[in-house]
Amino acid sequence: MPLPSTLLILLSLSPYALSYSIFSPSFLNKAEDHHRTSTHAPFKSAGHHGARQAAPYSPNFPYTGAIVDGLPGTGIGGIPVPAPGDTAHEYQHPPPGAFRGPCPGLNAMANHGFISRDGVTDFNELVAGQQNMYNVGWDLAVVLAVLGIVFDGDIITSKLSIGGDATAETAFLGGLLGREGGLNSHNKFEVDASLSRNDYYLANGDNYSFNATLFALMTETVGLTSRFDFKGMGVYKGIRYQQSLETNPEFYYGPKQLIFYGAASFLYELFPSSADGNTPNLANVAPFFGAVPSSTSPGTFTFQPERAPPGWYNRKTPYSLVDVVVQLNLLYLENPVLFGGNTGLNNFDALGTITSLITGGKYTPPPTPQELLCLVYQLVTDNDPDSLDNILDLPLDVLSFVIDKLDPVLGGLGCSFSRRA
Ligand code: HEM
Ligand SMILES: *[C@@H]1O[C@H](CO)[C@@H](O)[C@H](O)[C@H]1NC(C)=O
Ligand SMILES: CC(=O)N[C@H]1CO[C@H](CO)[C@@H](O)[C@@H]1O
């Protein structure tokens, strides 16, 4: 049976599905995470004067040839970014009132005009921009865009703020149906134990700005090899988990964290330059995070808006969905930790049985990348509020958006989901 119908049958059997009508606005009305208080972004001010769209596609500077239509480009990279003479994709400071948020990759895309410079983007821009700037594989680009839009954006306009709440611009009815938090919303698609961002609880709710102390710790951790490579990132992920576990009484580490093991691989798969042999060194990684090494105090950093390093070339081959699930698996296995959450300090509750792959808070990596892809699909589409995360609750209209976008990418896998009864 093809996946979508399997899912729809599962859903129609679920008691949660019954409470939603196809046009239910409940997704948009869903209360935000209980301790979310503020949505303002570092660069937010009144009014928007920035470019409202990505720089238009130009045949003179095709990059990987992705035009803004949600479809694959050529996948052929090894291209200088920005291309010589392509003023439209040169770095510019974020315009006044622009949104920037927790994702260095997207902040840099906005600063180079691969998505709207004002930080309010949409599905087609995200899919084209990721391919053209970084040579992200089309399949991975689609999955990431869907995740962002479903959790923090608008499924009707397909718009997303990459930072704070921009509901007036992202929503179909200008926000009448509820707030769309943008990527800064905590525990939707923004999580604790990030590489360079504070835990929400530990910083008065700022879990999206660059933290130079954490970046310095990451640099120090990978210091032996001076490389943000697989080994170094595996160790650093473990350090951040332990820090949050010990200091954050509201630490939550749900199964969606698996996806962010994938983001850690972006440091050695997407940020290096193919002009210098794909070395994930500080010179390549730091500018994407906005980290500027201090000249007076070695090992410390200040912040400037995110950008590609000078003379940077994107990767030659696409970084595909299968590539990233292989890496996230390996990174997790470097330092296997329990999924669950703190209810107060020194009081960690492991999650119960979630799927055959996550039982008693432990994740058992599946034998094939295909099964892991199915888990990722399940993480995105599961509508049982308790089963995978404390916030997942997808009504049917959202699910149909997800299926519409993901079926071309994942529908052929024939995933069968085991669920808790
Ligand atoms: C539509 C596409 C994307 C979306 C919606 C997205 C969203 C996010 C979000 C919400 C976070 C914060 C997670 C957390 O709280 O730790 C994040 C982190 C991150 N993203 Fe993205 N992202 C996208 C594409 C990319 C791309 C293309 C790159 C690299 C080229 C990238 C690199 C990163 C990195 C390195 C982090 C970790 C930052 C840290 O933990 O300090 N992302 N992303
Ligand atoms: C950065 O992170 C460190 C370590 O968690 C923390 O002590 C510090 O307060 C954070 N700095 C800012 C500006 O949030
Ligand atoms: C929006 C918000 O809560 N900002 C806070 C972020 O965290 C810093 C301290 O790390 C506070 O000073 C801000 O007020």
Side-chain angles (χ1 to χ4, degrees):
M1 191 187 290
L3 183 62
S5 32
T6 317
L7 264 174
L8 287 171
I9 287 169
L10 279 168
L11 274 169
S12 58
L13 295 173
S14 147
Y16 299 104
L18 298 178
S19 57
Y20 298 114
S21 83
I22 295 283
F23 301 105
S24 161
S26 15
F27 166 70
L28 302 169
N29 280 335
K30 196 123 182 68
E32 301 273 29
D33 182 52
H34 63 281
H35 52 204
R36 177 171 167 234
T37 53
S38 164
T39 52
H40 85 83
F43 298 99
K44 176 68 181 148
S45 66
H48 277 248
H49 314 287
R52 289 181 169 271
Q53 282 175 339
Y57 178 81
S58 160
N60 298 330
F61 307 108
Y63 297 94
T64 68
I67 58 176
V68 186
D69 62 359
L71 296 175
T74 62
I76 301 168
I79 299 166
V81 177
D86 181 9
T87 50
H89 289 104
E90 268 169 13
Y91 169 83
Q92 286 172 25
H93 285 308
F99 290 96
R100 297 292 182 268
C103 177
L106 292 176
N107 293 345
M109 275 166 70
N111 293 339
H112 282 278
F114 282 93
I115 56 177
S116 175
R117 289 185 186 269
D118 71 5
V120 179
T121 181
D122 67 15
F123 179 80
N124 285 350
E125 274 192 9
L126 286 165
V127 171
Q130 292 178 85
Q131 294 180 80
N132 285 337
M133 180 157 174
Y134 300 108
N135 203 8
V136 174
W138 172 74
D139 53 0
L140 176 56
V142 168
V143 169
L144 289 172
V146 166
L147 281 165
I149 292 162
V150 161
F151 291 117
D152 300 319
D154 187 286
I155 55 156
I156 299 174
T157 63
S158 97
K159 284 194 177 171
L160 171 71
S161 155
I162 68 169
D165 188 321
T167 306
E169 287 157 69
T170 51
F172 178 53
L173 292 175
L176 288 181
L177 300 180
R179 309 304 298 176
E180 293 162 10
L183 283 188
N184 291 348
S185 305
H186 182 58
N187 259 346
K188 292 180 125 197
F189 195 33
E190 192 288 328
V191 293
D192 290 336
S194 308
L195 306 177
S196 70
R197 268 63 182 165
N198 298 329
D199 282 10
Y200 186 89
Y201 179 84
L202 293 177
N204 303 320
D206 180 354
N207 52 355
Y208 46 80
S209 303
F210 176 77
N211 179 320
T213 309
L214 291 176
F215 189 84
L217 178 64
M218 177 160 72
T219 307
E220 193 189 313
T221 304
V222 305
L224 286 178
T225 55
S226 298
R227 295 209 173 167
F228 299 82
D229 58 6
F230 163 75
K231 198 81 192 168
M233 294 312 296
V235 174
Y236 184 61
K237 287 289 286 179
I239 289 177
R240 290 291 291 139
Y241 180 92
Q242 209 55 37
Q243 277 186 334
S244 293
L245 181 70
E246 285 165 12
T247 60
N248 179 353
E250 297 193 8
F251 177 46
Y252 181 70
Y253 206 78
K256 248 194 293 113
Q257 283 277 3
L258 274 176
I259 294 168
F260 291 108
Y261 282 91
S265 80
F266 293 174
L267 277 82
Y268 55 83
E269 295 285 359
L270 293 175
F271 291 161
S273 172
S274 58
D276 67 8
N278 299 308
T279 316
N281 57 17
L282 186 64
N284 284 329
V285 169
F288 285 109
F289 275 90
V292 184
S294 157
S295 50
T296 50
S297 168
T300 67
F301 297 87
T302 54
F303 177 76
Q304 66 177 9
E306 300 84 347
R307 66 198 69 185
W312 185 77
Y313 283 60
N314 64 16
R315 50 182 284 136
K316 290 188 172 146
T317 55
Y319 191 46
S320 73
L321 194 54
V322 169
D323 295 335
V324 79
V325 299
V326 167
Q327 290 304 315
L328 74 82
N329 229 355
L330 291 172
L331 277 169
Y332 176 83
L333 289 175
E334 267 298 285
N335 197 335
V337 294
L338 286 178
F339 292 99
N342 274 343
T343 49
L345 286 178
N346 303 315
N347 201 8
F348 183 84
D349 291 331
L351 289 174
T353 295
I354 303 297
T355 74
S356 54
L357 298 177
I358 299 176
T359 54
K362 286 204 190 89
Y363 165 60
T364 311
T368 66
Q370 187 212 313
E371 281 172 73
L372 189 53
L373 282 176
C374 288
L375 177 63
V376 171
Y377 201 167
Q378 187 180 7
L379 290 174
V380 188
T381 53
D382 195 287
N383 85 324
D384 178 345
D386 304 322
S387 75
L388 285 166
D389 213 321
N390 57 353
I391 45 80
L392 275 183
D393 189 358
L394 301 186
L396 282 179
D397 50 350
V398 178
L399 193 72
S400 67
F401 171 86
V402 172
I403 288 171
D404 180 53
K405 298 296 189 204
L406 289 194
D407 203 43
V409 176
L410 294 170
L413 293 172
C415 305
S416 67
F417 297 150
S418 62
R419 279 153 198 269
R420 197 167 43 169

